[in-house]
Amino acid sequence: GSTIEELLRYFTAFPSLFFTLDITHALLNKQNYLDYIAEFKDKLIQLQISGISSSKPDYLTGLFESEVDLKLILKNISCMNLPLRISNTNFETFLQSVDYYKSIV
């Protein structure tokens, strides 16, 4: 993961650069995703999220089975008018995650 300071260096060097914020990776790195959104709102083109599990990788963990409660995060990001990528490599898990997201927002 990159810190806000590291990303600022990239955006200063390459002003036309944009990025996808992976909220799950921010959480796993003990960083506040809202700080990234506040700092880089003009650079964000997409948000990405998946569930968090101590027993399997995030890309295999559905939102509905996350060990971290994602409800408030999902409500917050649903209002941001940005595309959301739910990162699950298993199709059934992805569909269940979409249903879970819809039930929250």
Side-chain angles (χ1 to χ4, degrees):
S2 297
T3 65
I4 287 176
E5 293 75 22
E6 290 170 332
L7 288 174
L8 281 170
R9 288 179 47 211
Y10 286 104
F11 293 130
T12 300
F14 304 99
S16 61
L17 189 66
F18 292 89
F19 81 116
T20 295
L21 175 61
D22 189 323
I23 294 169
T24 302
H25 288 174
L27 296 172
L28 288 170
N29 287 300
K30 309 285 189 245
Q31 300 193 20
N32 186 338
Y33 75 97
L34 291 173
D35 292 342
Y36 284 80
I37 291 171
E39 183 69 39
F40 302 116
K41 61 182 174 284
D42 296 335
K43 294 293 186 180
L44 283 170
I45 57 169
Q46 177 178 258
L47 299 172
Q48 178 173 314
I49 194 165
S50 61
I52 297 174
S53 170
S54 58
S55 62
K56 58 185 175 178
D58 56 306
Y59 58 85
L60 296 176
T61 307
L63 299 178
F64 59 94
E65 57 188 352
S66 181
E67 294 171 7
V68 173
D69 187 355
L70 300 175
K71 290 180 184 121
L72 181 59
I73 294 170
L74 294 172
K75 286 180 183 179
N76 284 342
I77 63 176
S78 71
C79 304
M80 293 186 180
N81 200 28
L82 283 168
L84 176 64
R85 179 175 185 260
I86 298 174
S87 181
N88 294 123
T89 56
N90 176 284
F91 186 66
E92 291 304 318
T93 303
F94 171 75
L95 292 178
Q96 289 177 292
S97 291
V98 170
D99 288 342
Y100 181 78
Y101 175 78
K102 288 179 180 178
S103 75
I104 300 300
V105 300

